[in-house]
Amino acid sequence: MSEGSVYLTKEDVRRKAEEAKNIRFGDYPSGISYLSGKGGIGHLLEEKHFGYRANSRPEPDFKEAGVELKVTPYRVGPNATYTSKERLVLNIIDYMKEAKATFETSSFWTKNKRLMILFYEHRDQVPIADWFISFTLLYEFPEVDLIIIRDDWRRIIETIRAGKAHELTESATLYLGACTKAAKATNTRPQPYSPIPAKPRAYCLKQPFMTYLLRNRVLKIEDEEKIVKNAGELQESTFESYMYSRIAPYIGWTQERLIAEFLTAEAGSRPVGSIQLPKNINEILIARIFGLKGRVSKTAEFMKAGIIPKTIQLEPDGQHVRESMSFPVFHFIDLVDEEWESSGLKEMFDTTRFFFIVFRKQEVGTPTLEGAFFWNMPASDLGQVREVWKKTKSIAINGVEFSEVGGRQRNNLPKASENRVSHVRPHGRDGDDTDTLPDGSTITKQCFWLNNTYIAALIAEWKDTKE
DNA sequence: GCATGATCATGC
DNA sequence: GCATGATCATGC
């Protein structure tokens, strides 16, 4: 085989990639034999379409053209919603070597600065032999993305340099992640500044970023509001410190003052206090601080990084939090078939960064803005969530026990009092909003919550680091 | 109509 | 007053 050398320019690669469109995978010579097992479709395209042998060399697949080939699945959901099915896994991180690199000499940048991405639709009810490439994208990171990716890379490398490669997590960064690579927990590799063995990890473009590429760069169907209007604004700071600097002028302001500043024009001449405030007033105010018409969660940056904004209200003492934090409803039928390692809950906390917006209630008058911070769940706390998840699964399998107390249903799902971090509680419209248990009976819809006491502890920690 | 974020309400 | 069950409000 020619090791890719017939493709001398990126245009050669792009042209050949175009030819892959609409060819059924099963129609390639001996194509079927590639289609079982992970990475099979990628290998099929490399060998049977582009005509070179799969490899894991440090240079890009098409060395002369400086292009790395990637093949990746997406799903089409209800209302023609296109979503990347997975993160895009790039090269494995050699902790020993990478710790000595600069961004420009890093294995990530050496191999992946230019990507030829082939997208195929993952269709559940259709044999893989009938799937095919539908879109192609020759992707070179634009400066607005690169400025965040450089910072993501720096965070990953600083974690390794601090002797904490074993604490790496995909949720600590925004677009470029360090995702786990091994199937078994026993598979580890050495790190340079600590004797503790670390899980093997690879660089990846996180799943929300891939969804963004699909929707905005390939299909060109979305154009979200941006928080950062031009990349130059991030020249002197990271995205996160930029966010703080935008909020800083309003810290200490009351809700009332913020409403007067940002919402009076919208509300007309109605005086503040005469109308019922929306439940998401704090999120609306933060959005206006950033000059947004829509929601913070719908901005380009939050969509691309999959950051989830959450507002928190502190009690007037500045220490307690009354309410626990809810997450989307889970379905018991799905839960009992999941394993923790591949569960939706673990995946979310493993990959998601949160943006906590903190207000503090006042003894008199409206709450004040205390500040905001980014957070991701540390591995040790995720271990606690695992215990709650396992107990929930076990109860679901063995049968939820119900009793009735004063017209209110009681159950034996994990309570806030049983675990430091998390519990399970109802989350529906009302008592008639139900889910089905494995035995066919019904239960009010439930979700995992983070305990109010855990949230309060996170806030205390944040306040400590501020000072 | 429903999912989701957020908050209310009751019993102990 | 806290823990847990129940429900509201927004926005898609």
Side-chain angles (χ1 to χ4, degrees):
Chain A
M1 287 189 204
S2 55
E3 295 294 330
S5 62
V6 295
Y7 309 101
L8 297 178
T9 67
K10 59 183 182 181
E11 196 48 40
D12 292 340
V13 179
R14 202 192 56 76
R15 204 176 298 120
K16 186 67 181 177
E18 277 296 297
E19 291 173 11
K21 280 186 184 172
N22 303 318
I23 300 177
R24 290 173 64 255
F25 296 151
D27 283 347
Y28 284 102
S30 61
I32 304 281
S33 64
Y34 285 84
L35 299 179
S36 61
K38 269 197 154 180
I41 296 173
H43 288 153
L44 170 68
L45 271 290
E46 285 179 316
E47 296 188 7
K48 298 296 173 183
H49 186 77
F50 287 90
Y52 72 95
R53 190 165 284 117
N55 71 83
S56 54
R57 293 173 310 213
E59 65 266 27
D61 293 326
F62 306 105
K63 191 178 170 186
E64 294 80 1
V67 177
E68 176 73 6
L69 183 72
K70 290 290 165 192
V71 183
T72 195
Y74 66 89
R75 285 183 189 276
V76 185
N79 305 321
T81 324
Y82 286 72
T83 317
S84 178
K85 184 169 173 283
E86 299 163 3
R87 57 179 69 73
L88 188 72
V89 180
L90 306 171
N91 59 301
I92 198 142
I93 307 172
D94 183 330
Y95 302 126
M96 308 303 273
K97 283 186 188 160
E98 204 73 349
K100 298 185 193 121
T102 63
F103 182 77
E104 271 66 30
T105 64
S106 69
S107 64
F108 160 70
W109 192 240
T110 304
K111 194 168 173 62
N112 303 296
K113 70 175 67 137
R114 195 179 286 136
L115 301 172
M116 183 73 243
I117 308 173
L118 279 58
F119 293 91
Y120 64 89
E121 184 184 346
H122 179 104
R123 302 165 76 185
D124 279 326
Q125 302 307 323
V126 176
I128 302 177
D130 290 333
W131 297 358
F132 52 86
I133 300 297
S134 14
F135 310 115
T136 69
L137 176 68
L138 182 63
Y139 187 66
E140 298 179 65
F141 298 92
E143 191 57 24
V144 283
D145 292 342
L146 200 51
I147 206 155
I148 286 177
I149 284 174
R150 272 203 197 93
D151 193 53
D152 286 339
W153 183 84
R154 182 187 58 76
R155 297 176 90 119
I156 293 168
I157 293 310
E158 281 180 1
T159 305
I160 300 169
R161 287 183 185 152
K164 294 180 175 176
H166 54 288
E167 290 179 17
L168 282 170
T169 161
E170 203 177 327
S171 56
T173 50
L174 300 180
Y175 301 167
L176 180 71
C179 64
T180 53
K181 196 69 169 100
K184 288 181 293 186
T186 49
N187 185 347
T188 60
R189 47 168 57 207
Q191 55 172 319
Y193 304 110
S194 166
I196 304 172
K199 283 183 193 169
R201 287 181 183 265
Y203 289 114
C204 70
L205 293 175
K206 295 170 71 171
Q207 191 202 17
F209 189 84
M210 293 306 294
T211 294
Y212 152 82
L213 283 188
L214 183 63
R215 292 183 189 172
N216 296 53
R217 300 296 299 267
V218 175
L219 300 168
K220 301 182 175 26
I221 51 175
E222 291 205 2
D223 187 22
E224 298 95 350
E225 273 193 287
K226 295 183 181 65
I227 291 174
V228 181
K229 305 292 186 207
N230 60 71
E233 292 178 76
L234 290 187
Q235 225 49 270
E236 298 299 319
S237 65
T238 65
F239 174 69
E240 297 188 1
S241 56
Y242 172 81
M243 295 287 289
Y244 301 138
S245 72
R246 291 285 299 267
I247 287 178
Y250 302 97
I251 288 174
W253 284 39
T254 60
Q255 233 178 32
E256 185 175 7
R257 187 174 171 202
L258 289 166
I259 290 168
E261 175 84 10
F262 293 109
L263 299 182
T264 31
E266 292 177 30
S269 55
R270 283 174 296 185
V272 172
S274 74
I275 49 166
Q276 175 85 36
L277 289 174
K279 276 189 169 180
N280 61 344
I281 181 65
N282 290 341
E283 195 214 331
I284 293 172
L285 290 171
I286 290 292
R288 296 303 182 276
I289 285 176
F290 285 110
L292 301 167
K293 294 189 188 73
R295 318 177 66 167
V296 176
S297 62
K298 298 291 179 190
T299 58
E301 292 88 350
F302 275 59
M303 294 291 286
K304 285 156 83 170
I307 303 165
I308 298 181
K310 293 268 189 188
T311 58
I312 299 165
Q313 298 230 64
L314 280 170
E315 293 301 294
D317 66 8
Q319 293 181 21
H320 291 87
V321 177
R322 182 180 145 78
E323 303 298 344
S324 296
M325 184 178 281
S326 67
F327 289 89
V329 162
F330 66 80
H331 297 284
F332 284 90
I333 300 290
D334 301 335
L335 185 83
V336 296
D337 281 339
E338 281 185 328
E339 292 304 322
W340 167 251
E341 285 301 323
S342 53
S343 67
L345 190 67
K346 176 173 189 289
E347 178 74 8
M348 180 191 66
F349 283 122
D350 255 349
T351 62
T352 305
R353 201 149 174 77
F354 292 85
F355 183 55
F356 289 153
I357 301 147
V358 185
F359 279 77
R360 177 174 174 175
K361 294 182 202 167
Q362 301 296 302
E363 296 292 356
V364 179
T366 57
T368 56
L369 177 60
E370 286 275 294
F373 63 104
F374 287 87
W375 175 82
N376 60 287
M377 184 173 279
S380 51
D381 293 347
L382 190 55
Q384 292 296 302
V385 178
R386 175 172 181 265
E387 296 310 308
V388 176
W389 184 92
K390 279 173 66 180
K391 187 167 179 195
T392 305
K393 178 176 170 179
S394 150
I395 291 171
I397 289 170
N398 296 319
V400 179
E401 291 170 21
F402 292 104
S403 57
E404 197 154 311
V405 179
R408 291 159 80 92
Q409 213 176 43
R410 303 261 319 172
N411 64 51
N412 62 334
L413 291 164
K415 312 274 174 259
S417 48
E418 298 172 33
N419 185 281
R420 179 173 61 83
V421 178
S422 175
H423 66 279
V424 173
R425 244 180 48 224
H427 189 191
R429 276 187 307 284
D430 53 40
D432 297 327
D433 199 11
T434 57
D435 189 40
T436 307
L437 288 162
D439 68 4
S441 60
T442 56
I443 183 171
T444 49
K445 282 184 183 167
Q446 308 276 324
C447 79
F448 289 92
W449 298 68
L450 290 182
N451 299 353
N452 58 337
T453 48
Y454 179 67
I455 302 292
L458 297 179
I459 301 233
E461 214 173 290
W462 164 61
K463 288 189 167 182
D464 278 352
T465 58
K466 264 202 310 185
E467 282 153 15

